[in-house]
Amino acid sequence: MKLIAAVSENWGIGKNNKLLFNIPLDMKFFRETTMGKTVIMGRKNLESFQGGKPLKNRINIVLTKNRDFRCEGAETVSSIEELLALDCVGDDAFVIGGESLYKQLLDYCDLCYITKVHEKADCDRFMVNLDESADWRCISESEKTEDNGHIISFCVYERVKGRGVCGE
């Protein structure tokens, strides 16, 4: 699996169940990177989407503790074991949030696509700081660019071999 997120300088990802920033370049990158792939999200993350509807042209999977939760156009699972048993969960699957899912599934990911927004933000949800983790290393970072009043860079992090749940 892979993970994709936009983070502030303090690795914040959201506040009050909303994204911290409106950055068209990041949204374009997200769409292009995940289009035609599997996206894995938590229930609250799905509910934060416009109309609470799944993302188009992707296989949508919602991991939730609520076994009664259903959403047309999305598959619902209630455990990591159930998630990992799905045929569509593999190298082309992206964890897209929120905070709880990032923490639960990070150890199952081998790459993370992180859009860094080079500013602090008032937030109540966070991503694990990969820069401070011995399990991850940044293998590429784009030049900084400005979009919609924000300075951003696109980074790719790779799991350090031998540090994942499979010990690869």
Side-chain angles (χ1 to χ4, degrees), residues 4 27 45 50 72 99 107 134:
I4 190 165
M27 292 307 225
N45 195 27
Q50 186 175 359
E72 186 177 333
E99 177 187 57
D107 284 346

Side-chain angles (χ1 to χ4, degrees), residues 21-24 117-119 145-152:
F21 309 102
N22 177 9
I23 303 173
V117 183
H118 297 277
E119 61 188 78
T145 187
E146 187 273 333
D147 187 33
N148 203 23
H150 305 284
I151 304 298
I152 64 171

Side-chain angles (χ1 to χ4, degrees), residues 10-89:
N10 57 338
W11 289 77
I13 58 169
K15 181 161 183 172
N16 298 326
N17 208 31
K18 293 188 179 2
L19 294 175
L20 295 175
F21 309 102
N22 177 9
I23 303 173
L25 272 177
D26 177 55
M27 292 307 225
K28 180 181 181 210
F29 176 76
F30 176 87
R31 272 191 310 278
E32 290 174 351
T33 304
T34 63
M35 193 65 65
K37 308 287 195 298
T38 298
V39 290
I40 304 162
M41 68 200 84
R43 178 188 50 80
K44 289 180 188 174
N45 195 27
L46 172 67
E47 290 172 348
S48 75
F49 296 167
Q50 186 175 359
K53 296 189 178 181
L55 299 174
K56 293 179 182 176
N57 303 313
R58 298 161 184 90
I59 297 169
N60 289 255
I61 301 172
V62 179
L63 177 59
T64 177
K65 293 176 201 161
N66 181 348
R67 293 182 181 273
D68 297 325
F69 180 79
R70 297 288 176 265
C71 176
E72 186 177 333
E75 182 152 356
T76 305
V77 294
S78 57
S79 71
I80 291 175
E81 294 74 28
E82 196 178 343
L83 172 72
L84 296 175
L86 296 173
D87 289 337
C88 58
V89 175

